[in-house]
């Protein structure tokens, strides 16, 4: 007998103006509660989705994000709670915007590719410049074209950095160290990168030939979908000390944001792992509420193979963003007849959105080694955490929140409260409000492009017809998402950025 | 550093600070003849002998005559006050000679800084007491001088004289500080104020312990930064041998 909406809601309890708890029992077998962070303007979407699912019954459609959150809470070895951030929306198995941590010392605990996502180590990198909006204004179109010429975009695009299969093997193992060795990155870039741009657990032998074949021509390409390179300007500074430390404290200062991931290689790694894990689940008798939540014990052969391959895909993504940094620096140098050094084009930070990492956290007053899955969520470590760079020890880890095409982006910093409550995690972007198909049906791409032009944003797209999938109307309001995280204290607002030129696939 | 010592440094007196002691006047007497020889030059060289003979029993008389020739208001019996006056007088002469050559106060200034501490200036001219000029804070002249100082420093008024003066002092430090030799400014107040805004990351009992822990954290972060810079430097040196970035735009293909 299916529950009514009211019965479903009886499991959900508001904890604070911006947080809610989902009690065990909401779905079968929950080992820990679920928690989600939404403010009043965002909660509607989440609850409407649940209500629609109740009315629809069991027949088809994506599971609502709240149900997915609860299903994750039923996975073996999960600790404390399954957490959803304000930009949460339904995804494959895990909702996008879900954080879940599994006890490394529990032999039953699992790793799930769905908890990382298909675009492994999709992330955002921010470069600063010493240019102002006024310096760039006369060259805006030229700059957008130059970036478009330098950074290959779109489905089926190919990179302009010559790469052999041997280079690729090395890149998978070395991550940004490969970019450094070959001279595509600066030494300072590495220190301002999560994990210093290299997962040491990477082992290219665990990446299938098929994945490598997909990855090779795509090195140094932006990709399609929600990926973009944007020229932005500092619009508002909330935390002057933090902004000054990051070198982005002047309103009107020009910065470059690159949002990209591990392309076809990451997707293939995830696909390969899902197939292997279905077998492992049958063998080890792992039962989940949702078939999409394929997983394997962390210490099993399949679990370890996935983690090693995932680390390679993560390294690939860092190399990819480093290559695009190199190309963006060249594009700027050309347009402004200067050098990247003289333009002060340093990497402010580079964050990962889709990744699983082994970290130390305090759970109920005890230190624990956890495998933290962050899917559509950004690590946000507090001041003084040993894993953040020397430059940011006093302000906390910078968190880069990419907006959607034509809307604002934000730079936040990590907090102690976030470290205690959400395993040091916060939101990653706006989060979808409409599915891709829904957007395609309802929006007209010429309108979307015209509205960007009206806002004074130069745009270059490889495939205009896919633009409406990524239109701001398809997403939640990024400001509401960021404000929720700020209000919940899981990260602090530092700087708001506004786009002036967009390059998209 | 005493005010006298500060002035002597400004004059580039080679024998360091002088302790003026009436019972043991040798050092003071040497200073007097040095001032006359190099800075004041009141007498012709041959007339300086009585002053130059610092061991002579008649030195006191020669000194008295010297002071009166300079129209010094201080009697020669108060050796300390007289020496202080002489030094101040020498600084004045030095300043008059070089005023047009000295850089403005905010630019990096070498040792001669006769106009330096502005706080002493308004009350100083008639006083031989140097830095101790503000002994009576209720004195209307003192208050007027401080008001004048605050006006010159362009501090917005209304916060009360103490806060305004503090702000003027901070401005002066900001303006003059960079010109002082390293370690020349020892006031820790600014550092303590900055420390208050540093998050410690953990809790300890007591304000003093807290500050100490923060100072240690900052020292540690500085060490970390130094180490990171060394690593970066090593990486750059390695790149000299390995780096050869290439692009080939003919390979590029824009997707759909």
């Amino acid at each position: 007998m299916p529950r009514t909406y009211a019965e479903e809601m009886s499991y959900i309890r508001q904890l604070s103006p911006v947080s809610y708890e989902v009690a065990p029992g909401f779905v079968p077998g929950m080992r820990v509660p679920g928690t989600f962070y939404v403010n009043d303007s965002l909660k509607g979407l989440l609850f409407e989705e649940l209500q629609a699912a109740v009315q629809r019954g069991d027949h088809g459609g994506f599971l609502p994000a709240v149900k997915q959150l609860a299903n994750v809470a039923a996975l073996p070895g999960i600790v404390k709670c399954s957490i959803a951030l304000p930009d949460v929306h339904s995804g494959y198995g895990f909702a996008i915007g879900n954080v879940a941590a599994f006890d490394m010392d529990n032999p039953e605990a699992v790793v799930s590719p769905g908890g990382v996502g298909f675009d492994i180590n999709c992330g955002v990198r921010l470069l600063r410049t010493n240019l102002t909006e006024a310096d760039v204004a006369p060259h805006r179109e030229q700059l957008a074209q130059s970036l478009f010429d330098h950074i290959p975009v779109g489905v089926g695009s190919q990179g302009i950095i010559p790469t052999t299969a041997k280079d690729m093997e090395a890149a998978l193992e070395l991550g940004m160290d490969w970019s450094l060795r070959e001279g595509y990155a600066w030494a300072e870039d590495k220190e301002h990168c999560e994990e210093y741009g290299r997962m040491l657990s990477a082992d290219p032998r665990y990446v299938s030939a098929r994945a490598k074949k997909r990855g090779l021509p795509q090195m140094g390409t932006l990709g399609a979908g929600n990926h973009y390179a944007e020229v932005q300007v500092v619009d508002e500074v909330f935390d002057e000390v933090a902004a000054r430390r990051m070198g982005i404290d002047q309103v009107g200062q020009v910065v470059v944001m690159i949002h990209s991931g591990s392309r076809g290689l990451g997707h293939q790694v995830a696909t390969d792992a899902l197939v292997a894990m279905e077998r492992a689940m049958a063998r080890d008798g792992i039962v989940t509420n949702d078939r999409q939540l394929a997983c394997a014990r962390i210490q099993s052969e399949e679990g370890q193979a996935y983690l090693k391959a995932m680390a390679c895909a993560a390294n690939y993504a860092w190399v990819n963003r480093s290559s695009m940094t190199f190309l963006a620096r060249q594009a700027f140098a050309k347009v402004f007849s200067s050098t990247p050094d003289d333009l002060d084009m340093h990497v402010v930070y580079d964050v990962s959105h889709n990744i699983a990492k082994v970290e130390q956290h305090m759970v109920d007053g005890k230190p624990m080694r956890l495998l933290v899955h962050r899917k559509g969520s950004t690590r946000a470590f507090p001041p003084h955490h040993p894993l953040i760079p020397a430059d940011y020890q006093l302000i906390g880890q910078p968190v880069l929140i990419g907006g959607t095409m034509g809307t604002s982006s934000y730079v936040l910093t990590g907090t102690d409260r976030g470290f205690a409550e959400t395993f040091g995690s916060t939101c990653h972007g706006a989060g979808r409000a409409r599915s891709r198909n829904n957007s395609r049906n309802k929006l007209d791409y010429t309108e979307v492009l015209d509205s960007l032009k009206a806002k004074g944003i130069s745009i270059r797209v490889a495939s205009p017809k896919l633009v409406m999938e990524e239109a701001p109307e398809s997403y939640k309001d990024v400001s509401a998402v960021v404000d929720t995280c700020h209000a919940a204290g899981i990260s602090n607002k530092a700087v708001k950025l506004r786009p002036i030129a967009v390059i998209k696939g | 550093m005493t005010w006298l010592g500060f002035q002597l440094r400004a004059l580039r007196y080679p024998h360091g600070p002088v302790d003026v002691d009436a019972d043991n006047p040798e050092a003071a007497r040497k200073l007097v003849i040095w001032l006359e020889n190099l800075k004041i030059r009141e007498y012709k060289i041959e007339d300086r002998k009585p002053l130059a003979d610092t061991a002579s029993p008649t030195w006191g008389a020669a000194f008295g005559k010297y002071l009166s020739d300079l129209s010094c208001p201080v009697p020669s019996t108060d050796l300390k006050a007289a020496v202080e006056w002489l030094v101040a007088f020498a600084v004045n002469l030095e300043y008059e000679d070089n005023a047009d050559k000295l850089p403005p106060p905010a630019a990096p200034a070498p040792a001669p800084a006769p106009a330096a501490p502005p706080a002493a200036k308004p009350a100083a001219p008639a006083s031989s007491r140097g830095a101790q000029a503000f002994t009576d804070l209720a004195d209307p002249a003192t208050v007027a001088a401080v008001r004048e100082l605050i006006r010159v420093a362009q501090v917005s008024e209304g916060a009360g004289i103490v806060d305004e003066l503090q702000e003027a002092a901070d401005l002066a430090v900001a303006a003059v500080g960079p010109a002082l030799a390293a370690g020349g400014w020892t006031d820790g107040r600014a550092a303590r104020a900055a420390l208050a805004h540093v998050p410690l990351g953990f809790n300890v009992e007591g304000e003093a312990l807290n500050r100490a822990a923060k100072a240690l954290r900052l020292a540690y972060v500085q060490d970390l930064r130094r180490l990171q810079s060394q690593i970066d430097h090593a990486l750059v040196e390695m790149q000299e041998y390995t780096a050869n970035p290439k692009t080939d735009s003919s390979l590029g293909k824009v997707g759909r």
Side-chain angles (χ1 to χ4, degrees):
Chain A
M1 180 70 194
R3 290 194 202 130
T4 63
Y5 178 60
E7 282 165 350
E8 296 280 26
M9 288 300 285
S10 68
Y11 289 93
I12 299 175
R13 179 168 72 95
Q14 186 160 12
L15 298 177
S16 80
V18 291
S19 63
Y20 296 79
E21 188 184 71
V22 183
F26 184 65
V27 299
M30 281 174 74
R31 294 159 201 260
V32 292
T35 324
F36 59 94
Y37 293 85
V38 281
N39 67 8
D40 288 340
S41 69
L42 293 170
K43 72 174 182 193
L45 274 172
L46 221 53
F47 290 135
E48 280 162 25
E49 192 188 39
L50 178 62
Q51 195 167 15
V54 171
Q55 283 164 1
R56 202 171 54 222
D58 279 340
H59 313 293
F62 259 114
L63 279 176
V66 187
K67 283 281 178 191
Q68 290 193 317
L69 173 78
N71 283 338
V72 169
L75 290 177
I78 189 168
V79 296
K80 202 159 92 175
C81 53
S82 169
I83 299 159
L85 295 154
D87 46 345
V88 71
H89 55 280
S90 302
Y92 184 90
F94 285 59
I96 295 157
N98 188 183
V99 178
F102 297 83
D103 181 2
M104 286 294 287
D105 297 319
N106 176 350
E108 308 259 289
V110 295
V111 53
S112 173
V116 171
F118 283 93
D119 194 358
I120 295 167
N121 193 10
C122 174
V124 174
R125 173 178 286 209
L126 188 67
L127 310 179
R128 67 176 188 225
T129 73
N130 54 16
L131 298 164
T132 63
E133 192 174 8
D135 297 332
V136 170
H139 309 289
R140 217 182 54 209
E141 288 296 332
Q142 198 193 343
L143 185 63
Q145 188 60 42
S146 179
L147 283 170
F148 190 70
D149 292 341
H150 279 76
I151 303 177
V153 294
V155 178
S157 56
Q158 294 190 5
I160 66 171
I161 293 177
T163 324
T164 63
K166 206 175 133 221
D167 290 333
M168 167 106 151
E169 287 283 321
L172 292 179
E173 184 180 343
L174 301 174
M176 257 181 88
D177 285 345
W178 181 83
S179 305
L180 260 176
R181 189 180 81 185
E182 301 299 320
Y184 296 105
W186 297 352
E188 296 85 1
D189 295 355
K190 180 173 159 70
E191 61 172 292
H192 284 177
C193 203
E194 216 172 298
E195 298 287 310
Y196 296 95
R198 175 181 183 179
M199 297 271 277
L200 293 168
S201 48
D203 188 337
R205 287 174 301 175
Y206 290 88
V207 178
S208 68
R210 179 134 191 246
K212 287 174 186 168
K213 200 174 157 212
R214 284 180 74 176
L216 185 57
Q218 295 177 336
M219 279 243 278
T221 64
L222 188 72
N226 60 351
H227 296 154
Y228 59 78
E230 270 186 0
V231 181
Q232 305 173 334
V233 293
V234 174
D235 197 33
E236 199 176 346
V237 173
F238 306 104
D239 182 342
E240 249 179 65
V241 175
R244 204 175 313 127
R245 202 78 204 83
M246 295 185 259
I248 46 171
D249 55 333
Q250 301 301 319
V251 171
Q253 189 181 345
V254 171
V255 297
V256 184
M257 186 176 270
I258 296 169
H259 178 194
S260 181
S262 52
R263 312 286 283 111
L265 183 131
H267 198 285
Q268 191 62 47
V269 165
T271 310
D272 292 342
L274 287 170
V275 174
M277 283 186 183
E278 275 187 17
R279 286 195 304 267
M281 284 172 78
R283 181 193 64 210
D284 295 337
I286 303 170
V287 182
T288 60
N289 290 340
D290 178 359
R291 201 171 152 262
Q292 293 184 349
L293 287 173
C295 55
R297 289 186 179 146
I298 298 171
Q299 302 307 341
S300 70
E301 203 187 312
E302 292 81 2
Q304 287 298 306
Y306 171 67
L307 285 172
K308 285 170 182 157
M310 181 207 74
C312 289
N315 286 345
Y316 178 92
W318 279 310
V319 168
N320 210 11
R321 288 199 285 276
S322 297
S323 299
M324 279 183 281
T325 303
F326 175 78
L327 299 168
R329 282 172 176 157
Q330 282 201 330
F332 266 74
K334 202 162 136 197
V335 170
F336 294 97
S337 309
S338 183
T339 65
D341 272 303
D342 288 332
L343 293 171
D344 191 38
M345 294 187 72
H346 279 283
V347 170
V348 173
Y349 205 65
D350 178 310
V351 295
S352 312
H353 291 159
N354 290 355
I355 204 155
K357 285 194 221 174
V358 180
E359 292 169 4
Q360 297 254 12
H361 287 274
M362 296 295 278
V363 179
D364 302 328
K366 282 199 303 273
M368 281 180 100
R369 235 158 45 92
L370 304 175
L371 183 65
V372 183
H373 291 59
R374 293 195 183 88
K375 181 184 193 180
S377 157
T378 318
R379 192 185 80 174
F381 277 175
H384 300 301
H385 194 284
L387 292 181
I388 66 176
D391 289 341
Y392 303 135
Q393 279 283 311
L394 299 179
I395 59 167
Q397 182 207 310
V399 177
L400 311 172
I401 306 299
T404 48
M405 198 168 59
T407 65
S408 300
S409 295
Y410 286 85
V411 182
L412 319 178
T413 53
T415 63
D416 287 314
R417 178 140 180 219
F419 196 63
E421 272 186 29
T422 57
F423 303 109
S425 317
T426 190
C427 59
H428 86 302
R432 267 184 192 281
R434 262 183 207 186
S435 76
R436 287 201 159 100
N437 285 330
N438 193 336
S439 303
R440 263 204 294 272
N441 298 339
K442 286 202 179 151
L443 300 164
D444 177 12
Y445 73 92
T446 50
E447 275 172 38
V448 173
L449 292 180
D450 287 346
S451 84
L452 288 174
K453 278 202 191 111
K455 281 191 217 163
I457 300 170
S458 306
I459 176 154
R460 294 289 183 280
V461 281
S463 44
K465 294 196 175 165
L466 295 178
V467 155
M468 60 277 197
E469 290 181 3
E470 305 303 324
E473 290 78 7
S474 313
Y475 282 91
K476 296 174 187 168
D477 173 14
V478 67
S479 299
V481 168
V482 165
D483 286 343
T484 305
C485 291
H486 186 84
I490 56 176
S491 51
N492 280 333
K493 287 201 283 186
V495 177
K496 183 180 179 189
L497 307 165
R498 163 172 62 80
I500 56 172
V502 185
I503 313 300
K504 269 193 92 74
Chain B
M1 185 182 284
T2 63
W3 178 231
L4 183 66
F6 185 71
Q7 286 175 306
L8 287 178
R9 197 179 72 171
L11 290 170
R12 301 203 182 91
Y13 182 59
H15 306 298
V18 173
D19 186 16
V20 181
D21 179 357
D23 294 331
N24 187 10
E26 185 63 22
R29 287 178 180 187
K30 277 196 172 139
L31 171 60
V32 168
I33 187 61
W34 183 85
L35 286 171
E36 168 57 15
N37 278 340
L38 273 91
K39 301 290 172 189
I40 300 176
R41 300 191 194 93
E42 172 71 9
Y43 296 155
K44 290 183 185 134
I45 291 172
E46 55 272 25
D47 297 340
R48 292 178 193 167
K49 272 194 183 139
L51 275 179
D53 187 3
T54 53
S56 159
T58 61
W59 192 89
F63 185 54
K65 179 173 180 301
Y66 181 60
L67 290 183
S68 71
D69 286 345
L70 289 173
S71 317
C72 171
V74 183
S76 64
T77 43
D78 186 349
L79 182 64
K80 187 167 169 29
V83 166
E84 282 173 358
W85 183 86
L86 265 184
V87 170
F89 182 60
V91 168
N92 263 329
L93 293 176
E94 181 91 1
Y95 180 68
E96 277 170 22
D97 286 351
N98 297 312
D100 51 339
K101 287 180 239 157
L102 290 172
K121 210 178 170 192
S127 164
S128 63
R129 299 185 57 85
Q132 291 95 49
F134 296 118
T135 45
D136 182 4
L137 292 177
D139 183 354
T142 304
V143 174
V146 172
R147 280 264 163 245
E148 172 66 7
L149 174 73
I150 289 170
R151 192 187 63 75
V152 171
Q154 297 182 325
V155 171
S156 55
E157 294 185 29
I161 193 161
V162 176
D163 288 341
E164 285 164 26
L165 188 62
Q166 180 61 55
E167 197 179 327
D170 290 345
L171 283 173
V173 169
V176 179
L180 295 175
W185 187 261
T186 55
D187 182 4
R189 197 171 36 224
R192 275 202 296 279
L195 211 53
H197 299 289
V198 174
L200 178 57
F202 54 91
N203 292 319
V204 289
E205 292 274 320
E207 185 51 29
L209 191 56
N210 212 318
R211 273 213 299 268
K214 281 181 183 180
L216 278 175
R217 283 292 320 181
L218 289 176
Y220 168 71
V221 169
Q222 203 177 10
D223 272 357
L224 208 59
R225 182 60 256 176
R226 204 173 299 132
L227 175 67
Q228 184 67 59
S229 299
Q230 285 167 358
I231 294 170
D232 290 351
H233 184 71
L235 288 174
V236 170
E237 286 192 328
M238 176 208 74
Q239 282 184 320
E240 292 282 313
Y241 298 98
T242 61
N244 182 21
K246 291 186 289 273
T247 53
D248 179 355
S249 40
S250 71
L251 294 174
K253 197 165 115 192
V254 173
R256 57 170 177 83

